[in-house]
Amino acid sequence: RVATTRRHSRLALEALKGDKTIAEIAQKHDVHAYQVTGWRRQLLERAADVFGSGAATIVTSNLGSDRVGPGLPGQQAVGQRHA
């Protein structure tokens, strides 16, 4: 199970890089493209959990673009200076 989870994570990260198409990744690793797309989506949806609940909100569209929004009140967005 751990090996499978690691493999899914690696494929999802590869898909996020954008160096190859989803189809190329799927063919290279002998899986279906919809699986790679699903693992990529799961990674995007759960990425904020890595840094703690409420740390950031990841919003994904049907096109796969993502934005990181503000987290808890009082937190600054990355790159903003403290006023």
Side-chain angles (χ1 to χ4, degrees):
R1 177 94 177 135
V2 173
T4 302
T5 302
R6 287 182 182 160
R7 180 175 186 233
H8 295 176
S9 299
R10 281 196 321 270
L11 294 179
L13 286 170
E14 190 173 341
L16 283 175
K17 283 183 190 178
D19 295 339
K20 297 177 184 172
T21 66
I22 299 292
E24 289 172 331
I25 295 166
Q27 184 177 17
K28 176 182 172 185
H29 297 282
D30 197 28
V31 296
H32 290 279
Y34 73 86
Q35 291 175 296
V36 176
T37 301
W39 298 327
R40 179 186 178 275
R41 184 179 310 114
Q42 288 177 7
L43 179 61
L44 287 171
E45 290 171 354
R46 298 178 184 170
D49 295 340
V50 172
F51 301 104
S53 180
T57 303
I58 296 183
V59 181
T60 58
S61 71
N62 289 338
L63 299 176
S65 64
D66 52 80
R67 300 186 317 251
V68 177
L72 299 172
Q75 290 182 333
Q76 295 175 319
V78 173
Q80 286 186 345
R81 293 180 181 226
H82 189 67

